[in-house]
Amino acid sequence: MKVKRFLKELLNKEITNTTIDEVYLRLCDLCEYGYELDQINDYQRNFWLVYNFNGETGNGGVEQFLYNCHDQVDITLQTLQDVHLENSTRYLAESKEICPEKIEMYSNDEITEKLNQKDDTYYDESERECNTFLLQYLKENKEHFMKES
């Protein structure tokens, strides 16, 4: 498969922050942007879920993640816990308690305010934690990214 070959070429070079973005995009091709996570292996899935969580929260805070990725909240929370991203796990778990059901973004001022406070408390730590993890995870597990799911 063309995407798998591209991953191999990509990961046989020095792994940088740009590599992280490129791997995520290739995994998006393989898993239909998260709609078919069963099409990628466990290592790829962990990477994809952490990257997606970090990207969504970085773009629009945890409220955006809860809204855009509502069907993936539980699996993402489990993954964050499994890979020992403590700040991110706490950030998402506490945010999920505030907004356990999918609601339209910014439709409830009280929930939005509480989620914004979570963003203020954890966001920088979570972003740093996720970015560090993604780079290290790719370096340590690159052979698993080149295997079939």
Side-chain angles (χ1 to χ4, degrees), residues 7 14 23-24 34 40 43-44 47 58 67 69 72 80-81 90 112 119 122 125 127 134 142 149:
L7 278 174
E14 180 185 359
V23 168
Y24 173 75
I40 55 179
Y43 291 91
Q44 295 166 336
F47 180 91
Y67 177 74
C69 305
Q72 297 169 344
L80 293 172
Q81 187 174 1
R90 183 170 50 254
T112 294
D119 289 341
Y122 290 109
E125 290 177 20
E127 180 182 46
L134 290 167
K142 67 182 185 177
S149 55

Side-chain angles (χ1 to χ4, degrees), residues 105-138:
M105 280 184 69
Y106 314 121
S107 64
N108 182 312
D109 291 340
E110 182 180 342
I111 288 175
T112 294
E113 180 57 33
K114 287 180 180 180
L115 292 174
N116 285 342
Q117 288 173 3
K118 286 290 157 216
D119 289 341
D120 292 343
T121 305
Y122 290 109
Y123 176 70
D124 288 341
E125 290 177 20
S126 179
E127 180 182 46
R128 201 168 22 260
E129 179 182 60
C130 288
N131 287 336
T132 300
F133 166 80
L134 290 167
L135 187 61
Q136 193 63 36
Y137 192 74
L138 259 187

Side-chain angles (χ1 to χ4, degrees), residues 15-97:
I15 296 175
T16 65
N17 287 328
T18 301
T19 311
I20 291 170
D21 296 336
E22 291 175 356
V23 168
Y24 173 75
L25 291 173
R26 295 312 161 274
L27 293 177
C28 284
D29 291 340
L30 292 172
C31 73
E32 298 295 327
Y33 292 86
Y35 290 104
E36 295 183 19
L37 287 172
D38 61 337
Q39 298 299 308
I40 55 179
N41 69 39
D42 291 343
Y43 291 91
Q44 295 166 336
R45 189 175 308 111
N46 289 345
F47 180 91
W48 192 91
L49 288 165
V50 171
Y51 186 105
N52 188 62
F53 167 75
N54 196 38
E56 289 285 339
T57 57
N59 187 41
V62 74
E63 186 166 3
Q64 177 174 308
F65 175 78
L66 293 171
Y67 177 74
N68 287 346
C69 305
H70 182 73
D71 294 340
Q72 297 169 344
V73 170
D74 291 332
I75 190 172
T76 300
L77 185 56
Q78 185 61 56
T79 299
L80 293 172
Q81 187 174 1
D82 290 349
V83 298
H84 309 291
L85 296 179
E86 295 173 12
N87 289 322
S88 300
T89 299
R90 183 170 50 254
Y91 175 42
L92 183 54
E94 291 176 2
S95 299
K96 184 182 171 192
E97 285 178 21

